């Protein structure tokens, strides 16, 4: 009789435990942990600048990531170093970024610099640099002013403008670029470009471009 009572007591205790845990054939009262929201990596300042298509900014936006795959800092991506000539025409000319040269240090003279060199020394040139070299300058937060004109008055104005902007606060290259349309002046930083006819040269417009866009893209801390 004592054994039967002990067995019954154990059985009742087990029933209580199972019921408390949601067992015994009923629906479980145990709740499934709520899934935590996935953490989305924030864009870096470089990626933010590269992706900024704000129409209120000077010039036109060039979607480099869409053209070359990925965003700045990815491989392959818009910052890749290459050892071949680039066709920049899919983004329009002159280029406003993309894969570029960086296999050697450039000298002061474009014609005697090593092949595939980049970036070019900041300054004013009457001889063209390869676009692949100057794109590297833009990756270093610089401004490129390009021209394709034989009008000496326009060139003189551009050289004066460049001299006034070349200082400790602005890194800039002025150089001819025969691969774009004749009688054209352009200014670029990484991801943005503004073009104008040489006959309608607007130095205030060039200055506004520099004032608003210089150093917005500075992935390597040159500013």
């Amino acid at each position: 009789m004592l054994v039967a009572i002990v067995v019954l007591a154990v059985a009742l205790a087990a029933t209580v435990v199972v019921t408390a845990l949601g067992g015994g054939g009923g629906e479980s009262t145990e709740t499934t942990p709520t899934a935590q929201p996935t953490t989305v990596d924030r864009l870096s300042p470089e990626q933010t600048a590269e992706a900024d298509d704000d129409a209120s900014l000077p010039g036109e936006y060039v979607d480099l990531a869409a053209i070359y795959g990925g965003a700045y800092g990815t491989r392959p991506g818009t910052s890749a170093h290459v050892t071949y000539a680039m066709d920049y025409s899919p983004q329009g000319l002159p280029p406003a970024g993309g894969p570029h040269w960086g296999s050697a240090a450039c000298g002061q003279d474009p014609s005697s610099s090593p092949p595939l060199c980049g970036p070019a020394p900041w300054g004013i040139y009457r001889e063209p640099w390869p676009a692949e070299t100057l794109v590297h300058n833009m990756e270093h937060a610089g401004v490129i002013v390009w021209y394709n004109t034989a009008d000496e008055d326009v060139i003189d104005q551009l050289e004066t403008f460049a001299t006034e902007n070349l200082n400790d606060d602005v890194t800039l290259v002025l150089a001819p670029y025969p691969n774009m349309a004749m009688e054209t002046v352009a200014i670029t930083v990484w991801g943005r470009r503004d073009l104008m006819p040489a006959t309608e040269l607007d130095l205030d417009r060039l200055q506004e471009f520099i004032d608003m866009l210089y150093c917005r893209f500075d992935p390597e801390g040159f500013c």
Side-chain angles (χ1 to χ4, degrees):
M1 183 64 178
L2 179 60
V3 173
I5 292 173
V6 171
V7 171
L8 179 60
V10 171
L12 289 173
T15 302
V16 170
V17 171
V18 170
T19 302
L21 295 176
E27 291 187 6
S28 173
T29 58
E30 184 178 356
T31 57
T32 302
T34 303
Q36 296 300 312
T38 302
T39 300
V40 178
D41 292 333
R42 293 184 177 181
L43 292 178
S44 68
E46 298 78 47
Q47 291 168 324
T48 299
E50 187 182 63
D52 190 355
D53 60 355
D54 185 350
S56 69
L57 293 172
E60 63 174 323
Y61 170 66
V62 180
D63 192 346
L64 299 169
I67 296 168
Y68 298 109
Y72 180 84
T74 63
R75 294 289 190 272
T78 53
S79 63
H81 287 187
V82 296
T83 56
Y84 49 82
M86 284 292 301
D87 177 11
Y88 289 117
S89 59
Q91 62 166 286
L93 299 176
H100 50 270
W101 291 348
S103 298
C106 297
Q108 296 293 329
D109 184 354
S111 62
S112 60
S113 288
L116 308 175
C117 76
W122 307 109
I124 297 169
Y125 300 90
R126 285 287 182 112
E127 187 178 352
W129 282 98
E132 294 88 346
T133 296
L134 296 185
V135 169
H136 199 152
N137 287 74
M138 286 185 277
E139 187 188 44
H140 286 194
V143 177
I144 312 297
V145 180
W146 324 65
Y147 64 86
N148 189 12
T149 181
D151 188 327
E152 285 295 326
D153 180 58
V154 170
I155 296 172
D156 287 345
Q157 290 186 64
L158 289 173
E159 290 183 345
T160 299
F161 172 83
T163 300
E164 292 171 349
N165 277 278
L166 267 169
N167 50 53
D168 292 339
D169 296 323
V170 176
T171 49
L172 177 148
V173 170
L174 169 67
Y177 183 56
N179 290 350
M180 66 181 179
M182 280 293 297
E183 298 306 319
T184 301
V185 172
I187 186 169
T188 58
V189 294
W190 190 274
R192 296 200 76 89
R193 172 178 54 225
D194 195 8
L195 297 95
M196 65 189 72
T199 54
E200 300 175 16
L201 177 63
D202 186 340
L203 297 179
D204 289 337
R205 184 166 147 188
L206 297 182
Q207 190 65 58
E208 180 187 26
F209 190 95
I210 292 175
D211 292 345
M212 293 189 66
L213 298 174
Y214 175 64
C215 272
R216 289 180 73 254
F217 180 84
D218 182 26
E220 298 177 46
F222 282 92
C223 297

